Amino acid sequence: MSHSRILLILTESLANPVVRSQALRHAAVMHGLGIAEFEIAALGLGTDMHRANLLALEAAEQAAGCRIRPLEGLRPAMPGAARHNAGRLLARHGGGSEAFGAIHARTDYAALVALPLARSLGVPLIWDCRGDAVAETEYGGKGPAAALRRLVLRRRQVELVRRADRAIFVSRPLRAMLAPPWPAEKPAIIAPCAAEGELFRPDAALRDATRARLGLAPATPLLLYAGGLAPYQHLPETIAHFRALHAARPEARLLMLTPDRDAARAMAGADPAILVDSVANNAVNAYLNAADAAYLLRAADRTNRVASPTKFAEYGLAGLPIIMSRAIEDCAAAADEAGNRVDPAGGWSALDQPRPPRESIAAWFRSRYTREGQAGLYARIYAP
């Protein structure tokens, strides 16, 4: 029996793979575990997003295992958009005909526009804080417009600390950086980004088969990068790091898995030691198993300090050593505890260090970086 019925508010596209893995699948797994039942309100911020949501609706409902109600809102930059979007949620869900135990609003903006609905229904608002939105503006340029955006986001954050009833933070540093701080008397959990334990796991036979398909000898070192080409993901730095390793061991190879295959190939140049491919998410585990270590390089800045990348969970669930500094604070501490962090400054000597078996690393991650492992946390935050 489910403990609560939750209305999940989304203001991101249903077609976004991150939304599918971190929100839609969350609803399905929590229901399967008997923790909560869900309905989802997908507020499309502008006509284009709303149309994309309608096109993705059938697949999204299959992934979530629940009803999703799409509705069209205004883009946040438009005058009066927050009030308008809050009104749209109230008009659709504020009648009280369907009882919800709580509203779970994913991202700061979703929580902002869900506040009036929560008060109208008399239920707790759970603010799902995914990162430091103020710090993330540093990647979007400088000048008066960026300064104004930071001010708006900062005020939003302060309002949510004051008015939200409960909170989910993806890292301890994220909760700690709030100013004013999240009140100790309000419920909150730290739930890092999770990955699918059924999709990502060690598999020795799969490793051998994938390496054979890639044409790699059993002893050939294979390092892996999985992700996009956004500046914060540090692909140029990853390529430079690999090339320094390759100079010492010319047999080594780097595999880059990215949806931006052509652009990544252009960045790598005509380098036969760098392989580039693009695969569906359910095929990634084969390549994680084939690899000997994976890259997760990030800059030591405020955005990364509080982050929780899904790739970290996927790498760990496959039992992979992860080449990463301490920039992502909670992830670095977790990898140190699990025994799979590789200091990028250490070169081959760090990569060659003995580590726990992949199965042991994966078991450690399954207890903390899957939704099943986080079930107790969510049972607490969703409790009536």
Side-chain angles (χ1 to χ4, degrees):
M1 180 68 68
S2 296
H3 297 297
S4 191
R5 191 156 187 271
I6 305 297
L7 178 63
L8 176 60
I9 308 291
L10 301 178
T11 53
E12 304 158 281
S13 173
L14 294 175
N16 185 332
V18 174
V19 171
R20 179 186 176 89
S21 70
Q22 294 301 309
L24 304 182
R25 289 296 302 150
H26 172 82
V29 174
M30 290 297 112
H31 179 251
L33 294 172
I35 290 172
E37 295 178 356
F38 286 82
E39 182 172 316
I40 298 174
L43 179 64
L45 302 180
T47 300
D48 289 346
M49 186 190 292
H50 178 59
R51 287 175 178 167
N53 282 349
L54 293 176
L55 290 172
L57 182 60
E58 182 177 355
E61 287 190 327
Q62 289 177 354
C66 68
R67 179 169 58 177
I68 301 177
R69 294 190 175 186
L71 62 161
E72 184 174 352
L74 297 179
R75 290 182 292 108
M78 296 187 67
R83 185 178 295 108
H84 172 89
N85 291 334
R88 294 286 286 144
L89 287 172
L90 269 170
R92 173 64 65 87
H93 296 282
S97 58
E98 296 182 86
F100 296 105
I103 293 176
H104 175 167
R106 177 185 155 88
T107 75
D108 299 5
Y109 187 77
L112 176 74
V113 298
L115 271 167
L117 176 60
R119 296 299 177 260
S120 173
L121 296 178
V123 300
L125 176 70
I126 304 170
W127 170 30
D128 191 346
C129 185
R130 311 303 302 174
D132 185 349
V134 179
E136 288 166 9
T137 62
E138 296 171 2
Y139 290 99
K142 308 293 182 182
L148 178 60
R149 177 166 173 73
R150 281 194 294 275
L151 178 63
V152 170
L153 294 173
R154 177 80 184 96
R155 287 177 174 173
R156 182 182 301 168
Q157 192 179 84
V158 170
E159 182 172 5
L160 291 172
V161 169
R162 182 170 61 89
R163 300 186 62 194
D165 303 291
R166 307 174 187 177
I168 301 165
F169 300 105
V170 295
S171 72
R172 291 170 298 174
L174 181 59
R175 175 174 178 164
M177 67 87 193
L178 295 175
W182 182 257
E185 66 272 13
K186 290 187 182 182
I189 60 172
I190 308 297
C193 288
E196 300 275 355
E198 293 303 311
L199 276 184
F200 299 96
R201 57 180 54 248
D203 187 326
L206 184 61
R207 172 181 169 83
D208 292 342
T210 306
R211 288 178 69 89
R213 190 168 69 248
L214 292 170
L216 300 173
T220 299
L222 178 64
L223 307 182
L224 178 137
Y225 168 88
L229 271 62
Y232 75 90
Q233 292 182 299
H234 275 209
L235 183 53
E237 291 82 356
T238 297
I239 293 172
H241 188 275
F242 168 74
R243 283 183 169 146
L245 293 173
H246 183 258
R249 293 188 189 173
E251 72 276 18
R253 295 292 181 266
L254 171 65
L255 172 61
M256 301 194 305
L257 292 181
T258 176
D260 307 308
R261 185 165 50 183
D262 292 341
R265 182 75 267 175
M267 292 175 68
D271 188 339
I274 300 179
L275 315 174
V276 181
D277 205 349
S278 180
V279 297
N281 192 54
N282 60 6
V284 170
N285 188 54
Y287 295 94
L288 300 190
N289 273 274
D292 298 296
Y295 277 104
L296 191 60
L297 301 183
R298 293 290 189 271
D301 58 26
R302 181 173 165 178
T303 297
N304 288 308
R305 177 174 174 259
V306 305
S308 178
T310 305
K311 282 299 166 195
F312 178 75
E314 294 173 355
Y315 293 161
L317 288 170
L320 265 174
I322 305 174
I323 304 168
M324 61 183 300
S325 69
R326 299 189 183 280
I328 312 172
E329 191 171 294
D330 266 9
C331 291
D336 283 339
E337 185 176 341
N340 68 327
R341 190 176 77 87
V342 178
D343 185 348
W348 285 113
S349 62
L351 282 161
D352 292 339
Q353 287 292 317
R355 302 190 182 281
R358 284 198 177 196
E359 291 77 11
S360 297
I361 293 170
W364 190 94
F365 273 80
R366 276 196 299 273
S367 68
R368 297 161 175 83
Y369 285 87
T370 62
R371 291 174 188 87
E372 292 82 359
Q374 297 172 359
L377 295 173
Y378 282 101
R380 291 207 312 268
I381 207 69
Y382 289 150

